[in-house]
Each structure stands twice: as C-alpha cells, then as structure tokens.
C-alpha cells in the first residue's frame, strides 16, 4: 500500500517537476496575487471562472501577508485534491472487495471483506491506521523542511522535494519523477498537467463527499441511491470505534 501511495503521488505531482531550462517567465510560475488567481481560474474552468464567495483571496492569515496566504491556500487545495483522488479510487476498490492477495497482518489475519469502505476502515487494526498517519505525517514534515523555498515564500505549489541519499538509505527517491520520464517535459505540458491535476482534484473532492453523504443519508445523492450501502459510523470522526475512545472517554459508549 505504501508503494502504491508513493507511485500515485509521483504521477499526480509530475506536473510540477522543475525544468532544466530557465527563462524570465514560465507558464507554471507561482500565482501569488488575486489577479493571477483570476487568470488561472479562467484557464481551469472558463464556464465558472473566478469564484471566491468567502473572499479568501483577500485574506491575510497569521499576519503573513496576502501573497503568502494565497500560497498557503493553493498548496492546501493541491494536497486536498491529491488525497481526494486517493480516497475516491480507494472507495471504489474496497466497495468491489478488491484486496491484496497476501495477509493484512504479520499474524496472518486476512483483509476485511464483505464490508463497505468505511466499515473496512473501522475493521483494520489500530496499528495499521497509525502507520498510515505516521507515513503521511512524515511526507508532510519532509515537504515543509526540505523544500528549497517554502510555498508561502514564493516556492512552487505542490512541489515535493526529492529524498536525499544521506537521509534515505538506498539512494535518492524523486517522488516527482521516479523513473526520469519527465525531465524533458515542455513548460506547456507542465501547465496542461498542472491544470488537469487541479481540476481532477476538485472533482474527486466532490466525488468522495458524494459517496460518504449517500452512505450516511440514503437519497442524499439520487444517482447513488441503492448503490452505496448505509454506514452507521461517523465519517467525520473515523477513529470513534478504535483509537478515539482511549483519548476521549465519551466516545467509548455506555459500559456493559
């Protein structure tokens, strides 16, 4: 699973691979101002254009300035889009009972089957959940500390720094382009793939929330009625049946 996550990250992030050529202006330069966001929005979806009902593009988070705030928001959107793409595909995989052919644990326990995707999550061991959190947390930590330039200070949005051989045994692993296939990608190709990733991420966010909304309230998404099974758990607190009760006693339920 970790290898699959790494490979999917590589393909989704390939659009941000820095080019060996330099120029005074490139299509994939950082969009830091509201005007740049308005221009980007037209390229992403000409029918909708720039849509910011909450006025976030005018924000100044933590007194860091408007450009830094826009960098933070754009980075957050790319990250949420990537996670949503994982979630959307993962939901479909688990809904169809597809699992790895080997045991889930070292003790030989099999992967849960016959369950809906949220129920399958509840059924896996707590240590497996923690491994996922630790791995994702490490990736987030590495993104923050190893980038040449932070995304709130003019760095590339969505960039993930390569693992240096002195930190990761076995040689540096470039999650952008692990097989070296995109080194000569033109700036036009990068721009096209960047826009495709943002649009796909936005669509995936709508898709996964459609799945979990229908699972909690039948008929919430008419097209999915009768397709997505009901889920009794709390999709917004996915640890309520495992780790969370040990932290917050109220989630443990009545004593028996």
């Amino acid at each position: 699973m970790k290898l699959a996550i790494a490979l999917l990250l590589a393909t989704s992030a390939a659009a941000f691979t820095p080019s060996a050529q330099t120029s005074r202006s490139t299509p994939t330069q950082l969009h830091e101002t509201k005007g740049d966001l308005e221009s980007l929005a037209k390229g992403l979806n000409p029918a909708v254009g720039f849509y910011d009902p909450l006025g976030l593009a005018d924000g100044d988070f933590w007194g860091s300035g408007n450009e830094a705030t826009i960098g933070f928001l754009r980075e957050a959107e790319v990250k949420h889009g990537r996670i949503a793409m994982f979630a959307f595909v993962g939901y479909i995989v688990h809904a169809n009972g597809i699992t790895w052919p080997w045991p889930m644990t070292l003790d030989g326990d099999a992967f849960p089957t016959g369950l809906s995707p949220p129920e399958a999550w509840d059924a896996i061991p707590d240590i497996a959940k923690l491994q996922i959190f630790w791995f994702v947390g490490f990736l987030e930590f590495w993104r923050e500390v190893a980038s040449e330039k932070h995304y709130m200070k003019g760095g590339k949005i969505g960039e993930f720094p390569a693992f240096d051989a002195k930190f990761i045994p076995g040689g540096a692993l470039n999650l952008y382009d692990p097989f070296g296939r995109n080194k000569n990608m033109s700036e036009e190709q990068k721009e096209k793939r960047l826009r495709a990733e943002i649009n796909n991420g936005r669509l995936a966010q709508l898709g996964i929330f459609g799945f979990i909304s229908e699972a909690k309230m039948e008929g919430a998404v008419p097209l999915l009625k009768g397709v997505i099974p009901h889920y009794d758990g709390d999709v917004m607190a996915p640890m309520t049946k495992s780790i969370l009760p040990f932290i917050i006693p109220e989630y443990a339920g009545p004593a028996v």
Side-chain angles (χ1 to χ4, degrees):
M1 179 59 74
K2 292 182 179 179
L3 178 59
I5 291 174
L7 291 177
L8 284 173
L9 280 173
T11 54
S12 64
F16 300 93
T17 307
S19 172
Q21 300 176 347
T22 58
S23 61
R24 289 178 297 176
S25 178
T26 65
T28 53
Q29 62 185 326
L30 177 67
H31 300 279
E32 291 183 327
T33 68
K34 184 175 180 179
D36 290 326
L37 291 181
E38 292 173 347
S39 176
L40 176 64
K42 293 179 181 179
L44 290 170
N45 191 327
V48 176
F50 183 71
Y51 183 71
D52 183 23
L54 298 179
L56 295 177
D58 298 313
D60 180 6
F61 293 179
W62 312 291
S64 57
N66 179 246
E67 292 188 356
T69 298
I70 290 176
F72 172 83
L73 292 171
R74 289 206 59 215
E75 176 77 9
E77 179 183 28
V78 170
K79 288 179 179 177
H80 281 79
R82 290 172 180 171
I83 294 300
M85 286 187 276
F86 283 127
F88 184 83
V89 174
Y91 199 105
I92 294 174
V93 168
H94 288 290
N96 285 276
I98 301 173
T99 66
W100 296 110
W102 50 79
M104 178 178 61
T105 68
L106 295 177
D107 294 332
D109 298 328
F111 286 95
T113 57
L115 303 174
S116 69
E119 291 171 340
W121 167 262
D122 291 336
I124 67 175
D126 292 347
I127 188 62
K129 298 183 178 77
L130 291 175
Q131 285 181 39
I132 295 172
F133 294 149
W134 289 331
F135 177 66
V136 174
F138 168 72
L139 294 179
E140 181 71 6
F141 167 78
W142 188 257
R143 167 70 174 108
E144 292 291 322
V145 303
S147 298
E148 292 184 5
K149 199 172 186 180
H150 197 270
Y151 50 82
M152 293 181 67
K153 298 180 180 179
K156 289 182 178 292
I157 299 300
E159 179 186 40
F160 192 87
F163 292 122
D164 194 295
K166 63 183 179 182
F167 298 111
I168 305 298
L173 172 62
N174 187 350
L175 288 182
Y176 276 128
D177 187 17
F179 303 109
R181 296 175 178 174
N182 302 316
K183 292 181 179 180
N184 298 319
M185 185 184 297
S186 68
E187 294 297 336
E188 290 74 17
Q189 289 175 307
K190 292 180 185 179
E191 178 70 9
K192 182 178 180 180
R193 294 185 66 171
L194 181 151
R195 293 182 179 182
E197 180 183 26
I198 295 175
N199 281 331
N200 289 338
R202 290 175 177 178
L203 185 60
Q205 290 176 70
L206 294 175
I208 188 60
F209 266 92
F211 286 162
I212 62 177
S213 295
E214 179 62 28
K216 285 302 297 179
M217 186 170 61
E218 292 88 342
V221 183
L223 291 177
L224 296 176
K225 186 175 182 179
V227 178
I228 302 296
H230 180 74
Y231 175 59
D232 290 324
D234 189 344
V235 295
M236 300 307 292
M239 312 302 291
T240 53
K241 293 187 178 181
S242 55
I243 297 174
L244 202 56
F246 294 97
I247 304 174
I248 305 177
E250 288 76 8
Y251 279 106
V256 295

